[in-house]
Amino acid sequence: MAVSPTPRDGLLPWLVQVALVVIVFELVILRTATRVAIHIPGIDRAAVPYRAAAESGRFAYYLAVVLVITALGLAMRAALQHGHHAVATALAVFVGAAFLARAGAIDDLLLAVAVVASFGLVAVGCAAADRRLRPALFLFGGGFLLGGLYVVAQQAAARGLRPVEASPWLLVAAETLVLAAPMALVYSRTRMTSGAAVAWGAAVSGAVMMTLVLAPATAKIVLLWNFGLAGYLPALAYAMAAGTLTYALVMIVKSGDGLTAVGIGLLVVGGIGLHSTYQSALVILGLSVLVFASEVPERATALVRPVIAVER
């Protein structure tokens, strides 16, 4: 019997894995290390290695942009081919708005509205495709939408429009929801435990806690730049969320569901807050990957059915 291809079988899974590696490299080198290094006294003495690191980070950024644009195109085609019409519509809206904003045809306010609308559409498609992700998706999605609402309200107020007040409490609520998402992910996606996963989670949690305690100002700036988290909550909350997320990702990878881990990874590196079209693209792409990761290939279903029949 012929096996119907799914998005898991095409170029998209390989491409998003490569893209995530490049994006993480860019995040660590360009968005974090170089920005922190310029505040270190005497950094001018290490101008050559600093310049080399900065150039490699910039190259990774440009490469990541190309990979992400290509992946968005492949995701749009896959969504159309496999009946995910809400996802395909959201991707089309986002790509179109990003292109128009780049060309100067629309302003930042319209772009922000388009990003929030696209995110909502893809999130609905993702929730419909994988019920196991719904609790974590509800929390992350709520945080992203509240952060996006804050940006939209700010930009609207700057134009004399006030549909909603840009209250800092929106950011506090957004961060609370986002930091709770990893716990929901562990509850809904992991049923067993692993010593390696616990060790990785504890190590990451400890590193984040130490950084926030020893260099709170720098750490909070990095959180804001990279993830859209303003640091309103206690340091322990961020440390626990980082450790729990690491544990969940390790367990998901160990279960053999690497594509889901890649999708979640893209959400993490994209963050919340609508800081840039690039980071918004990472979030939209990550949600799309999660939709495709939920699809079980037909050949796997065929292998399961005889077992079920025998057990009955």
Side-chain angles (χ1 to χ4, degrees):
M1 182 181 68
V3 176
S4 300
T6 72
R8 284 177 173 269
D9 302 316
L11 177 62
L12 183 61
W14 176 85
L15 186 64
V16 292
Q17 289 179 60
V18 174
L20 183 58
V21 172
V22 176
I23 292 163
V24 170
F25 179 84
E26 174 270 326
L27 170 67
V28 173
I29 300 300
L30 186 63
R31 278 193 275 162
T32 303
T34 58
R35 286 174 170 177
V36 172
I38 59 176
H39 299 289
I40 300 176
I43 189 62
D44 53 319
R45 299 176 185 175
V48 174
Y50 174 83
R51 190 177 300 112
E55 289 301 322
S56 66
R58 289 191 189 94
F59 175 78
Y61 169 74
Y62 294 129
L63 178 58
V65 169
V66 173
L67 292 172
V68 169
I69 292 173
T70 305
L72 285 171
L74 292 175
M76 194 184 308
R77 186 182 69 176
L80 287 172
Q81 289 176 340
H82 296 276
H84 299 294
H85 302 299
V87 176
T89 301
L91 291 171
V93 169
F94 173 76
V95 172
F99 175 79
L100 291 174
R102 181 67 176 174
I106 63 174
D107 60 11
D108 290 341
L109 175 58
L110 289 177
L111 176 61
V113 172
V115 170
V116 172
S118 300
F119 176 89
L121 279 174
V122 185
V124 168
C126 186
D130 191 344
R131 61 182 179 81
R132 297 174 300 171
L133 286 176
R134 288 176 189 173
L137 185 62
F138 174 80
L139 292 170
F140 178 84
F144 186 94
L145 292 174
L146 287 177
L149 180 61
Y150 179 85
V151 174
V152 170
Q154 275 192 322
Q155 295 177 351
R159 291 161 177 77
L161 305 172
R162 292 184 178 274
V164 65
E165 184 182 357
S167 169
W169 285 106
L170 287 173
L171 298 181
V172 176
E175 292 197 19
T176 302
L177 291 175
V178 169
L179 295 183
M183 190 65 74
L185 185 63
V186 169
Y187 175 78
S188 60
R189 283 303 306 259
T190 60
R191 290 292 180 266
M192 301 178 67
T193 189
S194 162
V198 172
W200 276 106
V204 170
S205 181
V208 171
M209 187 68 184
M210 185 178 300
T211 303
L212 285 167
V213 170
L214 297 180
T218 301
K220 289 182 179 180
I221 289 174
V222 170
L223 281 175
L224 181 61
W225 279 342
N226 294 342
F227 309 108
L229 302 174
Y232 286 112
L233 302 179
L236 182 61
Y238 300 95
M240 290 181 63
T244 305
L245 177 63
T246 303
Y247 171 83
L249 287 174
V250 172
M251 291 301 299
I252 290 172
V253 171
K254 287 176 70 68
S255 72
D257 196 3
L259 191 57
T260 294
V262 170
I264 295 171
L266 287 169
L267 297 184
V268 173
V269 295
I272 63 172
L274 310 187
H275 285 292
S276 68
T277 308
Y278 166 67
Q279 287 180 257
S280 297
L282 300 183
V283 175
I284 300 295
L285 178 60
L287 283 176
S288 303
V289 169
L290 290 175
V291 172
F292 302 139
S294 68
E295 293 196 0
V296 180
E298 202 171 300
R299 59 175 174 270
T301 307
L303 289 175
V304 172
R305 284 173 183 162
V307 175
I308 296 176
V310 169
E311 288 179 348
R312 288 180 180 173

